[in-house]
Amino acid sequence: MAANTETAQPNIVAPAKKPLPAAKNVDSQSVLKRLQSELMALMMSGDSDISAFPEEDNIFIWKGTIKGSKETVFEGTEYKLSLSFPNDYPFKAPKVKFETTCFHPNVDVQGNICLDILQDKWSSAYDVRTILLSIQSLLGEPNISSPLNPQAAQLWGNQEEYRKMVEKLCKFQDA
Amino acid sequence: MASGFISDPPLSKKKRTNGSAKLKQIKLDVRREQWLSRVKKGCNVDSNGRMDNCPSSKHTASEENRSSCKEMTRKGEDIEGTCIQDSDSRSTINSPDRSTYSHDESSGKDFSGSSSNSISTSCSGNDSEEEDDDGCLDDWEAVADALYANDKSHSVVSESPAEHEAECRYTVLEDDKNPRVDFSKADFKSEVPESKPNRRAWKPDDTLRPRCLPNLSKQRNSPLNPNWRGSRKTVPWAWQTIIPQPSQCPICYEDLDVTDSSFLPCSCGFHLCLFCHKKILEADARCPSCRKLYDHVDGNVGLNIGAKAFCITQSCRTGTGW
């Protein structure tokens, strides 16, 4: 396995890294190692509620999915996300966005997420798995005080109506 | 039944060493096909006839392969000496014990194969690897043969074909009942009384086992022993295994070396490598685990704290240091 990843690395790096100096190359090698290890760990962890996988040609961009937690208004729904990792990951947070529309107080129409650990509270000890789990728990426990989606924040008080809204959007997505 | 094959091949194959490589390839293919078909059919449930036939044919195939390629190397040696008569006699004398050696190996392979059907693909993969490595394997076996021949007197060598046959019968008989358990038994029994060059890991109760090797069974039993804490000083490595020490840096996933693993920059005990620590110091300088600001002193402080935490047995250091 180790041999495979090592041989695969030059292919992935080559197109993106050629213009950059050698020092940067070393960095991206370690980012690659980290991302590959994370991918392995994520696949071995066997989480059924979250998943993520790199894009075909670029390991710095991943597609993830989150299932809504049980006993929340998001139960039974599934959301797609995109994760874009910077060249100095994990020292800088990845950019995470919802790809599917998510009616949530802390998610705007474009899918941007307002979550502290993705901004100023980022720590290099976080990884893809903890990010996805954090977003999953954010779904059920929104921060109403600083909403990106005021309409969702208003409706949050009425859980039945909120559930209907989520279901409606879910059907709209599927269709 | 197999002993007939053993004495024959060296003499008959002597003349066609040129084609032996090709022959070897064909035979390996045949062997692989047999092996795969056997695994596909399922070793345990299938008819006994199949189970009896397959291993033996496999054995002979592999024996022939080995002896033929051995022949190549031997011939190479003998050309230098220009002493063909000698080589013939040598090869015939040596052939019995050589074939027992290869048989043992193949029976070992049988055991691993029959014990788990699911590994069939990996087993066949091993076969192909072996094919690739055959060049060095020959040399290795030749060395092993030489050692073996030195160890044993000629009288034992002449005995070995009978022994070998008995082994074969034994495995075939046991085959009918339960291949899983009895292959191991057969393998074991044939190995112990002959005291061959050891090709296995040491067992805990092995009499020849070097003392310096750590004893796993002891390690496992130690928590059950009420006095084990008292003996901590005598086995410092056991104490170290209790503290959960990551072998990799949790930030970059590179292996931690000795310096890294004794490096504790934060009182929360979060391990990371010096390289990542430096990177974090350049940025927000907070511990990734507890978010506490790292002390803006160079790494020495961290190193001392780390040493203190891990060198509990060395009281002098903790006394003079901090």
Side-chain angles (χ1 to χ4, degrees), chain A residues 33-34 37 91 121 123 126, chain B residues 250-251 253-254 279 288 291:
Chain A
K33 168 141 188 170
R34 158 106 187 191
S37 307
F91 302 103
K121 287 283 162 57
S123 151
Y126 289 124
Chain B
I251 310 298
Y253 285 80
E254 296 290 341
K279 281 219 137 192
R291 296 181 201 281

Side-chain angles (χ1 to χ4, degrees), chain A residues 27 30 33-34 37-38 88 90-92 117 120-127, chain B residues 248 250-255 270 275-277 279-280 283-284 287-289 291:
Chain A
D27 280 6
S30 68
K33 168 141 188 170
R34 158 106 187 191
S37 307
E38 277 196 40
D88 48 358
F91 302 103
K92 289 278 169 353
I117 64 154
D120 54 325
K121 287 283 162 57
W122 170 255
S123 151
S124 46
Y126 289 124
D127 56 17
Chain B
Q248 288 177 325
I251 310 298
C252 62
Y253 285 80
E254 296 290 341
D255 290 341
F270 183 77
F275 185 78
C276 289
H277 176 69
K279 281 219 137 192
I280 289 170
D284 65 346
C287 169
S289 176
R291 296 181 201 281

Side-chain angles (χ1 to χ4, degrees), chain B residues 181-212:
Chain B
V181 186
D182 294 321
F183 259 119
S184 68
K185 246 193 237 166
D187 204 29
F188 187 70
K189 282 197 177 175
S190 66
E191 200 126 301
V192 168
E194 287 175 26
S195 74
K196 283 191 179 156
N198 206 331
R199 293 185 296 277
R200 309 175 150 221
W202 291 106
K203 293 201 186 81
D205 53 345
D206 228 325
T207 46
L208 296 170
R209 191 175 191 277
R211 280 193 165 189
C212 54

